[in-house]
Amino acid sequence: MSVTADYNHFVRVAVDPSTELPLIAYATVDSLHHTISIGQFHDSDKYLNTLQLLELLPLSSLIPSQLTPATVASQQQASAGYSFFVGLDRVRVHQPAAEKLLAVLQRRLKELSASSATSYVEPVECKYSGFKREQADVERELERLVSNHTAIQSAARETAATAAAGAAISCMNLLADAPNVGRWRLEQLRLHDVMLLDSNAAAALNLFPQPGDTDKHASLFGLLDKGRTPMSSRLLRQRIKQPSMSLPEIERRQRQLGIFVASLPLRERVADRLRRFNDMNKLVNRFQKGKASLQHLVQAWQCIEKAIDVIHELEQYDGEARDELEAEFTEPMRAAMGECLSLRQLVLDTIDKEALRGYQYAIKPELDPALNAANAEVRQCERDMEREARRVEEQYGLDDDSVGVVDRLADSKGHLLRVSRKNEQQLRGSTGGVIHMQSNKQGYFFTTRRMRELSEQIKEAQRQVDERFKALEAEALSVAAEYMPSFEQLGVLVTELDLLVGFAHVCVNAPVPYVRPVVLEKEAGVLELKGSRHPCMEVLDGMSFIPNDVSMRRGVSHMQIITG
């Protein structure tokens, strides 16, 4: 089976005998960033957490197992509990109580598939055996894929999640590609680390644009999407849909944002350097999938050149937060730039800059003697064709440059000579070696014996050029793919930086500048808002928003929710 989506989700559902509650284990494979994220959690009999998990699925969705009747019969167990697996078209279960999950998931997946505002759900079959492999075997495969073995030891304690990771490795055949070895990251995701918002909540809160919206400020995403790079918009959408609930992570982002809010010169200089970045995520994906071309190699080089300028601007900053900026961005970007400089040099050494000025992507001919010789022969044939055109002009008394050379290789006619229709009669009845080919509104096309010889020569020389070019291109792209981990990490930092700079711009330029809130632990039981405003409402034309105070303390304050 071949799985080609950028994100793939493997979900295993079992019942924990100790609690008699469903145990949901999942593994998400992000091929764009070479990341395997795993996690497991208990759910209620209403499967609310599982439904929220579906909201997090980007691009292609669940990749589960579909059991055959024989497998179901063989897997029935007694008091030790039972397992069943989620399928998109059907769920085969061992106990009637689990039929509720079938109905709930099928209904929700249909809603997700039909909704243009959410992720598309695409079913892909995965063999049942993928979820039932020995944990030791899965751990050995993870050790080959993942460089950080500490993460594997930590994840191994979640045996159900590890089983889902085993299905991911097996179904996607990750170990079949040699470049994958040692390049993947393993991370554990826990639902309590992020706030899960379903599509109804997102619509009620105006988080994302809705069909028919004419004002981009009508949604929080439209208001905050001020990044210069295409990667920034994707990261912003992810963070709005999955707000972090980790206090250290929230405070880290606040500190980073504060640097750019406080320094207008830094913010403007970095924002200017972030313009016209190519989509680094998509470039990495193309190289990893072997679908890159020289054009994509040049685009990667352009990103590196722009990133060098960004690093230079960060190094020029000498404000109070210099040390923090150095630790969070400057030094990590310099580290990622190390191997990227080798990629940059590869482009400078191999790409023909003269051809690039004409928006053509070619290898320098002088790098390969065979390519250089074939290319020289092509140029020589072109010069000989021009001389033949001048000879025809002289023989028939035509004006200078009235005979042109035309490439008609596309319709198998080779290279021809062409004159305007007014000169056609001088050549059509000639006995001086002119061979008629075609006459139309574009002119009179003809050839000569010498032109036919040259046309065959240039055709063979061009074939040799193309053959050597493809070989050298494949070699250059293969070498470039080895630098993609560093290029990918550089893209992550550029994306984060762009998102923060755009957010800082929104904070400072709001009708009333935003403030940095003090965030408490989840169980603090205190919510104090002074002069709070709706960020979208206050920027609408003709709107005069009245700030509101909110004070809620556990055990003291009371709130009533009125519905109707």
Side-chain angles (χ1 to χ4, degrees):
M1 184 194 72
S2 176
V3 179
T4 58
D6 298 323
Y7 296 85
N8 296 289
H9 305 266
F10 296 74
V11 178
R12 181 192 184 196
V13 186
V15 170
D16 188 346
S18 62
T19 61
E20 297 185 355
L21 291 175
L23 177 62
I24 312 297
Y26 60 93
T28 298
V29 179
D30 179 354
S31 60
L32 277 176
H33 301 100
H34 271 75
T35 303
I36 301 176
S37 304
I38 65 173
Q40 64 184 52
F41 56 90
H42 287 90
D43 210 343
S44 67
D45 59 353
K46 297 184 182 299
Y47 299 103
L48 297 179
N49 287 335
T50 304
L51 292 180
Q52 289 181 320
L53 177 65
L54 294 181
E55 302 290 340
L56 304 180
L57 307 183
L59 302 181
S60 293
S61 188
L62 299 178
I63 301 183
S65 173
Q66 295 180 342
L67 306 183
T68 64
T71 307
V72 173
S74 65
Q75 290 298 318
Q76 288 182 348
Q77 302 177 22
S79 58
Y82 56 89
S83 297
F84 59 93
F85 298 82
V86 181
L88 292 179
D89 298 325
R90 56 182 175 169
V91 176
R92 300 188 180 278
V93 298
H94 301 206
Q95 182 164 311
E99 292 179 359
K100 187 173 185 178
L101 175 62
L102 168 61
V104 168
L105 285 177
Q106 285 184 336
R107 182 176 66 251
R108 187 61 190 137
L109 290 172
K110 287 180 181 179
E111 293 174 357
L112 285 173
S113 296
S115 173
S116 60
T118 56
S119 304
Y120 171 66
V121 178
E122 177 185 349
V124 181
E125 184 178 359
C126 175
K127 292 182 179 179
Y128 163 78
S129 58
F131 288 89
K132 295 296 293 181
R133 303 167 61 209
E134 293 293 334
Q135 178 158 340
D137 294 337
V138 177
E139 291 180 16
R140 280 193 292 270
E141 292 182 350
L142 285 172
E143 288 175 356
R144 292 183 60 192
L145 287 172
V146 179
S147 57
N148 184 3
H149 291 181
T150 304
I152 299 175
Q153 296 172 1
S154 176
R157 290 190 284 269
E158 297 184 340
T159 56
T162 306
I169 296 172
S170 175
C171 292
M172 296 189 66
N173 205 14
L174 297 181
L175 288 172
D177 296 331
N180 282 337
V181 176
R183 292 178 56 185
W184 286 75
R185 292 186 297 112
L186 180 68
E187 61 181 30
Q188 291 176 270
L189 296 181
R190 295 176 175 82
L191 291 185
H192 63 262
D193 288 338
V194 296
M195 180 183 297
L196 301 179
L197 303 173
D198 60 24
S199 57
N200 292 330
L205 294 172
N206 288 70
L207 296 184
F208 299 102
Q210 299 297 316
D213 284 351
T214 57
D215 190 342
K216 67 177 183 179
H217 293 151
S219 67
L220 185 63
F221 176 82
L223 178 67
L224 301 181
D225 188 21
K226 303 300 182 184
R228 271 71 174 174
T229 68
M231 304 91 71
S232 172
S233 295
R234 286 196 291 269
L235 180 60
L236 176 62
R237 181 175 290 274
Q238 174 189 336
R239 289 192 173 175
I240 291 178
K241 194 169 186 178
Q242 305 171 33
S244 176
M245 296 179 64
S246 169
L247 182 58
E249 176 64 16
I250 293 173
E251 291 178 339
R252 183 184 71 87
R253 294 178 186 177
Q254 286 182 331
R255 291 193 301 271
Q256 293 175 343
L257 179 62
I259 298 173
F260 297 99
V261 169
S263 177
L264 174 62
L266 174 66
R267 186 170 70 247
E268 290 184 340
R269 290 198 305 269
V270 173
D272 186 61
R273 296 298 188 182
L274 288 170
R275 297 181 189 276
R276 292 182 292 278
F277 257 86
N278 293 303
D279 195 324
M280 300 178 73
N281 289 346
K282 290 185 176 180
L283 288 174
V284 170
N285 196 31
R286 281 189 172 275
F287 277 96
Q288 290 172 349
K289 291 183 177 181
K291 296 181 179 180
S293 65
L294 286 185
Q295 180 180 358
H296 302 116
L297 181 59
V298 170
Q299 290 175 349
W301 163 66
Q302 291 169 342
C303 289
I304 294 172
E305 295 290 352
K306 291 179 179 297
I308 292 175
D309 294 336
V310 172
I311 294 175
H312 176 73
E313 295 298 344
L314 296 177
E315 291 174 337
Q316 298 304 308
Y317 175 70
D318 59 355
E320 296 180 357
R322 178 182 176 84
D323 292 342
E324 186 165 1
L325 183 67
E326 177 81 15
E328 293 287 347
F329 289 103
T330 313
E331 183 55 36
M333 289 188 73
R334 278 199 295 258
M337 185 60 72
E339 288 194 357
C340 289
L341 291 177
S342 299
L343 176 59
R344 173 177 178 262
Q345 192 60 45
L346 171 69
V347 176
L348 295 176
D349 291 342
T350 59
I351 299 298
D352 189 339
K353 294 298 180 59
E354 292 297 326
L356 193 59
R357 292 189 182 95
Y359 299 98
Q360 296 179 341
Y361 304 93
I363 301 288
K364 289 181 179 179
E366 56 267 26
L367 291 179
D368 183 74
L371 176 62
N372 198 25
N375 198 61
E377 185 174 354
V378 170
R379 303 284 86 80
Q380 182 61 45
C381 287
E382 290 175 345
R383 289 191 292 269
D384 290 344
M385 287 179 178
E386 289 294 334
R387 280 195 288 268
E388 178 65 7
R390 305 290 82 78
R391 185 193 68 79
V392 171
E393 290 173 355
E394 183 178 351
Q395 178 178 350
Y396 292 96
L398 301 176
D399 295 338
D400 292 344
D401 298 326
S402 61
V403 179
V405 178
V406 182
D407 180 358
R408 295 293 295 272
L409 292 174
D411 52 9
S412 303
K413 293 182 179 179
H415 287 75
L416 304 178
L417 297 175
R418 180 182 64 183
V419 295
S420 63
R421 295 288 296 274
K422 70 178 183 179
N423 294 322
E424 179 178 351
Q425 294 303 320
Q426 292 178 254
L427 298 172
R428 182 178 282 274
S430 170
T431 59
V434 172
I435 303 172
H436 168 77
M437 296 299 294
Q438 185 181 15
S439 179
N440 55 34
K441 63 181 181 180
Q442 295 178 344
Y444 176 61
F445 295 87
F446 65 99
T447 185
T448 64
R449 290 186 179 88
R450 177 57 176 163
M451 275 296 297
R452 281 186 169 176
E453 293 174 0
L454 292 173
S455 181
E456 289 298 321
Q457 291 178 19
I458 198 172
K459 182 178 178 180
E460 175 60 23
Q462 190 61 53
R463 185 192 63 78
Q464 296 177 12
V465 168
D466 293 342
E467 187 177 275
R468 290 303 305 154
F469 175 79
K470 289 180 180 179
L472 293 173
E473 179 186 32
E475 183 178 350
L477 295 176
S478 176
V479 174
E482 298 177 2
Y483 299 116
M484 282 301 110
S486 295
F487 184 79
E488 180 180 9
Q489 181 58 30
L490 182 65
V492 170
L493 294 167
V494 169
T495 304
E496 182 82 23
L497 192 64
D498 188 27
L499 182 64
L500 290 171
V501 170
F503 194 11
H505 174 82
V506 176
C507 293
V508 173
N509 292 281
V512 177
Y514 294 174
V515 298
R516 175 178 174 175
V518 177
V519 183
L520 306 177
E521 293 288 352
K522 286 190 292 187
E523 300 302 322
V526 177
L527 177 63
E528 291 281 351
L529 304 177
K530 300 293 185 181
S532 60
R533 318 180 309 278
H534 193 292
C536 297
M537 295 288 289
E538 70 172 357
V539 297
L540 297 179
D541 294 336
M543 176 64 65
S544 178
F545 195 86
I546 301 175
N548 296 283
D549 293 345
V550 177
S551 178
M552 298 182 65
R553 294 179 177 273
R554 181 178 298 156
V556 178
S557 306
H558 301 278
M559 180 178 64
Q560 292 180 336
I561 300 178
I562 302 175
T563 63

